[in-house]
Amino acid sequence: KIREWQNNLLSSGSLKATTINLIGQQLSTALNYAVKFYGLSKNPYALVGRIRGAKHADMKIWTPEQFQRFLSCIPAESHELRTAYELLFWTGIRVGELLALTVGDVDMENKKISITKTLMLIHGQVVIGTPKTSKSVRVVDLPSFLVDDLKEYLSTLFRPSKSTRIFHWNEQSQLKQNLIRAASRADLEPIRIHDFRHSHASFLIAQHCPITYVSKRLGHENSSVTMSIYAHFYEGTDRQAVNIMEQYVFSTFGPSSAKEMAELQGST
């Protein structure tokens, strides 16, 4: 039945394999619960497994330098747009999490924002729900420059309360349209809104932040999810690790010791 369900969804063409696998994970969780509490002998989804060969959509990323070029093409008076793009790029939060942010979620003193909800548009109705997973509920640290920009933008809001939403949009079309226009003016290839999240993660990985920290910051269920998406950013780290060892031995024990170790390794 599970195989038939997977194949029907695949053949319909309405969902990508990665999306079907995400739905399957929820089904598997429910079946595991049935095994633990309701006497189901085994989890059939675990026997069938996920759809193999499913790949995430090709991600495009901007470097911080490219992002600044893009941001420079957003009019200075467009405080809301500029602040939204900055939060997406420098925190890696999802667009639904961004749109659901309220004034009370911002802790200026401790330079943090709390991600506790997400905004969805269902049949034209705004629905504020819980984030994607339990790990998506998190507190994200903010760099000082972003705190300053956020503080300046919030000062433009008219008598906000803690429950006031920071951004007025109910969906991301305005963010998409302005992104395409500004990217064109900056002579950059446009990226998707979700690619701001990928850009943030790739920047942290390039700066050698631990994968466990990146995973926690993004709100992934575990670091293996993060690795499955961003593993290609670690290509070449084997050589980098060897270089670190060579530099350590050379600087600590001197060139003669390094040479002796290299000769010893060659003889073995």
Short mmCIF file of all heavy atoms in Angstrom, two decimals, residues 1-7 9 16-33 35 40-52 54:
data_model
loop_
_atom_site.label_atom_id
_atom_site.label_comp_id
_atom_site.label_asym_id
_atom_site.label_seq_id
_atom_site.Cartn_x
_atom_site.Cartn_y
_atom_site.Cartn_z
N LYS A 1 0.82 -1.20 0.00
CA LYS A 1 0.00 0.00 0.00
C LYS A 1 0.86 1.26 0.00
O LYS A 1 0.56 2.25 -0.68
CB LYS A 1 -0.95 0.00 1.20
CG LYS A 1 -2.11 -0.98 1.10
CD LYS A 1 -3.04 -0.58 -0.05
CE LYS A 1 -4.24 -1.53 -0.11
NZ LYS A 1 -5.14 -1.18 -1.24
N ILE A 2 1.93 1.24 0.79
CA ILE A 2 2.81 2.41 0.85
C ILE A 2 3.52 2.62 -0.49
O ILE A 2 3.63 3.75 -0.99
CB ILE A 2 3.83 2.26 2.00
CG1 ILE A 2 3.09 2.35 3.34
CG2 ILE A 2 4.90 3.34 1.92
CD1 ILE A 2 3.96 2.05 4.54
N ARG A 3 4.01 1.54 -1.09
CA ARG A 3 4.65 1.65 -2.40
C ARG A 3 3.66 2.18 -3.44
O ARG A 3 4.01 3.03 -4.28
CB ARG A 3 5.18 0.28 -2.84
CG ARG A 3 6.42 -0.18 -2.09
CD ARG A 3 6.97 -1.45 -2.72
NE ARG A 3 8.03 -2.03 -1.92
CZ ARG A 3 9.30 -1.62 -1.94
NH1 ARG A 3 9.65 -0.62 -2.72
NH2 ARG A 3 10.20 -2.22 -1.19
N GLU A 4 2.43 1.68 -3.39
CA GLU A 4 1.41 2.14 -4.33
C GLU A 4 1.14 3.63 -4.14
O GLU A 4 0.99 4.39 -5.11
CB GLU A 4 0.13 1.32 -4.11
CG GLU A 4 -1.00 1.68 -5.07
CD GLU A 4 -2.27 0.89 -4.78
OE1 GLU A 4 -2.24 0.02 -3.88
OE2 GLU A 4 -3.28 1.16 -5.45
N TRP A 5 1.06 4.04 -2.88
CA TRP A 5 0.84 5.45 -2.56
C TRP A 5 1.98 6.32 -3.09
O TRP A 5 1.74 7.36 -3.72
CB TRP A 5 0.72 5.58 -1.03
CG TRP A 5 0.78 6.99 -0.52
CD1 TRP A 5 -0.19 7.94 -0.60
CD2 TRP A 5 1.88 7.60 0.16
NE1 TRP A 5 0.23 9.10 0.00
CE2 TRP A 5 1.49 8.92 0.46
CE3 TRP A 5 3.15 7.14 0.55
CZ2 TRP A 5 2.34 9.80 1.14
CZ3 TRP A 5 3.99 8.02 1.22
CH2 TRP A 5 3.59 9.34 1.51
N GLN A 6 3.24 5.90 -2.87
CA GLN A 6 4.38 6.64 -3.38
C GLN A 6 4.35 6.75 -4.90
O GLN A 6 4.55 7.83 -5.48
CB GLN A 6 5.70 5.99 -2.93
CG GLN A 6 6.01 6.12 -1.46
CD GLN A 6 7.26 5.34 -1.07
OE1 GLN A 6 7.58 4.33 -1.69
NE2 GLN A 6 7.97 5.83 -0.07
N ASN A 7 4.09 5.63 -5.55
CA ASN A 7 4.07 5.60 -7.02
C ASN A 7 2.95 6.45 -7.60
O ASN A 7 3.13 7.13 -8.63
CB ASN A 7 3.95 4.16 -7.53
CG ASN A 7 5.23 3.37 -7.29
OD1 ASN A 7 6.32 3.93 -7.28
ND2 ASN A 7 5.09 2.06 -7.10
N LEU A 9 1.64 9.13 -6.24
CA LEU A 9 2.02 10.54 -6.09
C LEU A 9 3.09 10.93 -7.10
O LEU A 9 3.05 12.02 -7.68
CB LEU A 9 2.51 10.80 -4.67
CG LEU A 9 1.46 10.83 -3.57
CD1 LEU A 9 2.11 11.06 -2.21
CD2 LEU A 9 0.42 11.91 -3.83
N LYS A 16 7.06 16.79 -5.88
CA LYS A 16 8.42 16.31 -6.11
C LYS A 16 8.71 15.14 -5.17
O LYS A 16 8.08 15.00 -4.11
CB LYS A 16 9.43 17.43 -5.87
CG LYS A 16 9.31 18.58 -6.86
CD LYS A 16 10.33 19.65 -6.55
CE LYS A 16 10.22 20.82 -7.52
NZ LYS A 16 11.18 21.88 -7.20
N ALA A 17 9.69 14.34 -5.55
CA ALA A 17 10.05 13.18 -4.72
C ALA A 17 10.48 13.60 -3.33
O ALA A 17 10.19 12.93 -2.34
CB ALA A 17 11.15 12.37 -5.41
N THR A 18 11.19 14.73 -3.23
CA THR A 18 11.64 15.20 -1.92
C THR A 18 10.45 15.55 -1.02
O THR A 18 10.47 15.29 0.18
CB THR A 18 12.54 16.43 -2.06
OG1 THR A 18 11.92 17.38 -2.95
CG2 THR A 18 13.89 16.05 -2.63
N THR A 19 9.41 16.13 -1.62
CA THR A 19 8.21 16.47 -0.84
C THR A 19 7.48 15.21 -0.38
O THR A 19 7.02 15.12 0.76
CB THR A 19 7.26 17.33 -1.68
OG1 THR A 19 7.95 18.51 -2.11
CG2 THR A 19 6.04 17.74 -0.87
N ILE A 20 7.41 14.22 -1.27
CA ILE A 20 6.77 12.95 -0.90
C ILE A 20 7.54 12.29 0.24
O ILE A 20 6.96 11.72 1.16
CB ILE A 20 6.70 12.01 -2.12
CG1 ILE A 20 5.85 12.65 -3.23
CG2 ILE A 20 6.11 10.65 -1.74
CD1 ILE A 20 5.89 11.90 -4.55
N ASN A 21 8.87 12.38 0.20
CA ASN A 21 9.67 11.82 1.29
C ASN A 21 9.42 12.54 2.60
O ASN A 21 9.40 11.92 3.67
CB ASN A 21 11.16 11.88 0.93
CG ASN A 21 11.57 10.79 -0.05
OD1 ASN A 21 10.91 9.76 -0.15
ND2 ASN A 21 12.65 11.00 -0.77
N LEU A 22 9.23 13.86 2.55
CA LEU A 22 8.94 14.61 3.77
C LEU A 22 7.60 14.18 4.36
O LEU A 22 7.46 14.01 5.57
CB LEU A 22 8.93 16.11 3.47
CG LEU A 22 10.29 16.76 3.24
CD1 LEU A 22 10.12 18.21 2.79
CD2 LEU A 22 11.13 16.72 4.50
N ILE A 23 6.60 13.99 3.50
CA ILE A 23 5.30 13.50 3.96
C ILE A 23 5.46 12.09 4.54
O ILE A 23 4.87 11.75 5.58
CB ILE A 23 4.28 13.49 2.81
CG1 ILE A 23 4.07 14.91 2.28
CG2 ILE A 23 2.95 12.90 3.26
CD1 ILE A 23 3.26 14.97 1.00
N GLY A 24 6.29 11.28 3.87
CA GLY A 24 6.54 9.93 4.34
C GLY A 24 7.16 9.89 5.72
O GLY A 24 6.88 8.98 6.52
N GLN A 25 8.01 10.88 6.02
CA GLN A 25 8.62 10.94 7.35
C GLN A 25 7.55 11.13 8.42
O GLN A 25 7.65 10.57 9.52
CB GLN A 25 9.63 12.09 7.40
CG GLN A 25 10.90 11.83 6.61
CD GLN A 25 11.82 13.04 6.60
OE1 GLN A 25 11.63 13.99 7.36
NE2 GLN A 25 12.82 13.02 5.73
N GLN A 26 6.54 11.95 8.11
CA GLN A 26 5.44 12.15 9.08
C GLN A 26 4.64 10.87 9.26
O GLN A 26 4.24 10.51 10.38
CB GLN A 26 4.53 13.29 8.59
CG GLN A 26 5.24 14.59 8.27
CD GLN A 26 6.07 15.10 9.42
OE1 GLN A 26 5.62 15.13 10.56
NE2 GLN A 26 7.30 15.48 9.13
N LEU A 27 4.40 10.16 8.15
CA LEU A 27 3.71 8.87 8.23
C LEU A 27 4.50 7.88 9.07
O LEU A 27 3.95 7.17 9.92
CB LEU A 27 3.50 8.31 6.82
CG LEU A 27 2.95 6.88 6.72
CD1 LEU A 27 1.58 6.77 7.39
CD2 LEU A 27 2.87 6.44 5.26
N SER A 28 5.82 7.85 8.85
CA SER A 28 6.67 6.94 9.60
C SER A 28 6.64 7.25 11.10
O SER A 28 6.64 6.34 11.93
CB SER A 28 8.11 7.02 9.06
OG SER A 28 8.95 6.11 9.73
N THR A 29 6.62 8.54 11.43
CA THR A 29 6.54 8.94 12.84
C THR A 29 5.25 8.43 13.48
O THR A 29 5.25 7.92 14.61
CB THR A 29 6.61 10.47 12.95
OG1 THR A 29 7.86 10.92 12.41
CG2 THR A 29 6.50 10.93 14.40
N ALA A 30 4.14 8.57 12.74
CA ALA A 30 2.86 8.08 13.26
C ALA A 30 2.88 6.57 13.44
O ALA A 30 2.37 6.04 14.45
CB ALA A 30 1.74 8.48 12.30
N LEU A 31 3.48 5.86 12.50
CA LEU A 31 3.54 4.40 12.59
C LEU A 31 4.46 3.95 13.72
O LEU A 31 4.19 2.95 14.39
CB LEU A 31 4.01 3.82 11.25
CG LEU A 31 3.00 3.97 10.09
CD1 LEU A 31 3.64 3.55 8.77
CD2 LEU A 31 1.74 3.17 10.35
N ASN A 32 5.54 4.68 13.95
CA ASN A 32 6.42 4.37 15.09
C ASN A 32 5.66 4.53 16.40
O ASN A 32 5.86 3.77 17.35
CB ASN A 32 7.65 5.29 15.08
CG ASN A 32 8.71 4.83 14.11
OD1 ASN A 32 8.80 3.65 13.79
ND2 ASN A 32 9.52 5.76 13.63
N TYR A 33 4.81 5.54 16.46
CA TYR A 33 3.97 5.76 17.65
C TYR A 33 3.02 4.58 17.85
O TYR A 33 2.81 4.12 18.98
CB TYR A 33 3.19 7.06 17.47
CG TYR A 33 2.47 7.54 18.71
CD1 TYR A 33 3.12 8.34 19.64
CD2 TYR A 33 1.14 7.19 18.95
CE1 TYR A 33 2.46 8.79 20.77
CE2 TYR A 33 0.47 7.63 20.08
CZ TYR A 33 1.14 8.43 20.99
OH TYR A 33 0.49 8.87 22.13
N VAL A 35 3.58 1.51 16.87
CA VAL A 35 4.39 0.37 17.31
C VAL A 35 4.62 0.45 18.82
O VAL A 35 4.51 -0.54 19.54
CB VAL A 35 5.74 0.35 16.55
CG1 VAL A 35 6.69 -0.67 17.19
CG2 VAL A 35 5.52 0.01 15.08
N LEU A 40 1.24 -2.28 17.15
CA LEU A 40 1.62 -2.57 15.76
C LEU A 40 2.94 -3.33 15.78
O LEU A 40 3.89 -2.93 16.45
CB LEU A 40 1.75 -1.27 14.96
CG LEU A 40 2.02 -1.42 13.46
CD1 LEU A 40 0.82 -2.05 12.75
CD2 LEU A 40 2.34 -0.05 12.83
N SER A 41 3.02 -4.44 15.06
CA SER A 41 4.20 -5.31 15.17
C SER A 41 5.47 -4.66 14.63
O SER A 41 6.56 -4.85 15.17
CB SER A 41 3.95 -6.64 14.44
OG SER A 41 3.68 -6.41 13.06
N LYS A 42 5.34 -3.91 13.55
CA LYS A 42 6.51 -3.24 12.98
C LYS A 42 6.06 -2.08 12.11
O LYS A 42 4.89 -1.99 11.70
CB LYS A 42 7.35 -4.21 12.17
CG LYS A 42 6.61 -4.91 11.05
CD LYS A 42 7.47 -6.00 10.43
CE LYS A 42 6.68 -6.79 9.39
NZ LYS A 42 7.45 -7.90 8.82
N ASN A 43 6.98 -1.20 11.84
CA ASN A 43 6.70 -0.02 11.02
C ASN A 43 6.88 -0.39 9.54
O ASN A 43 8.01 -0.56 9.09
CB ASN A 43 7.64 1.13 11.41
CG ASN A 43 7.39 2.39 10.59
OD1 ASN A 43 6.69 2.37 9.59
ND2 ASN A 43 8.00 3.48 11.03
N PRO A 44 5.81 -0.49 8.77
CA PRO A 44 5.95 -0.89 7.36
C PRO A 44 6.69 0.14 6.52
O PRO A 44 7.32 -0.21 5.53
CB PRO A 44 4.50 -1.06 6.89
CG PRO A 44 3.69 -0.24 7.82
CD PRO A 44 4.39 -0.30 9.14
N TYR A 45 6.62 1.40 6.93
CA TYR A 45 7.32 2.43 6.14
C TYR A 45 8.83 2.23 6.23
O TYR A 45 9.56 2.49 5.27
CB TYR A 45 6.96 3.84 6.63
CG TYR A 45 7.49 4.93 5.71
CD1 TYR A 45 6.74 5.35 4.61
CD2 TYR A 45 8.73 5.52 5.93
CE1 TYR A 45 7.22 6.32 3.76
CE2 TYR A 45 9.22 6.49 5.08
CZ TYR A 45 8.47 6.89 4.00
OH TYR A 45 8.95 7.85 3.15
N ALA A 46 9.30 1.73 7.38
CA ALA A 46 10.73 1.48 7.54
C ALA A 46 11.20 0.39 6.58
O ALA A 46 12.36 0.38 6.15
CB ALA A 46 11.03 1.08 8.98
N LEU A 47 10.32 -0.56 6.24
CA LEU A 47 10.67 -1.61 5.29
C LEU A 47 10.71 -1.08 3.86
O LEU A 47 11.57 -1.44 3.07
CB LEU A 47 9.67 -2.76 5.39
CG LEU A 47 9.60 -3.49 6.74
CD1 LEU A 47 8.47 -4.52 6.71
CD2 LEU A 47 10.92 -4.17 7.05
N VAL A 48 9.75 -0.23 3.54
CA VAL A 48 9.68 0.33 2.18
C VAL A 48 10.76 1.37 1.98
O VAL A 48 11.48 1.37 0.98
CB VAL A 48 8.28 0.95 1.94
CG1 VAL A 48 8.23 1.64 0.58
CG2 VAL A 48 7.20 -0.12 2.03
N GLY A 49 10.89 2.29 2.94
CA GLY A 49 11.92 3.32 2.85
C GLY A 49 11.50 4.48 1.96
O GLY A 49 10.45 4.47 1.31
N ARG A 50 12.37 5.48 1.95
CA ARG A 50 12.11 6.68 1.17
C ARG A 50 12.36 6.43 -0.30
O ARG A 50 12.97 5.43 -0.68
CB ARG A 50 13.00 7.83 1.67
CG ARG A 50 14.47 7.55 1.51
CD ARG A 50 15.32 8.47 2.40
NE ARG A 50 15.07 9.86 2.10
CZ ARG A 50 15.69 10.53 1.12
NH1 ARG A 50 16.58 9.90 0.36
NH2 ARG A 50 15.46 11.79 0.91
N ILE A 51 11.89 7.32 -1.13
CA ILE A 51 12.12 7.23 -2.58
C ILE A 51 13.58 7.55 -2.85
O ILE A 51 14.07 8.63 -2.47
CB ILE A 51 11.21 8.21 -3.33
CG1 ILE A 51 9.74 7.84 -3.08
CG2 ILE A 51 11.51 8.19 -4.83
CD1 ILE A 51 8.77 8.90 -3.59
N ARG A 52 14.28 6.64 -3.46
CA ARG A 52 15.71 6.82 -3.70
C ARG A 52 15.94 7.76 -4.87
O ARG A 52 15.14 7.85 -5.79
CB ARG A 52 16.38 5.47 -3.98
CG ARG A 52 16.23 4.46 -2.86
CD ARG A 52 16.90 4.94 -1.59
NE ARG A 52 16.66 4.03 -0.48
CZ ARG A 52 17.07 4.28 0.76
NH1 ARG A 52 17.72 5.38 1.04
NH2 ARG A 52 16.81 3.41 1.73
N ALA A 54 15.99 10.90 -4.87
CA ALA A 54 15.33 12.20 -4.78
C ALA A 54 16.35 13.25 -4.42
O ALA A 54 17.12 13.09 -3.49
CB ALA A 54 14.22 12.15 -3.73
#
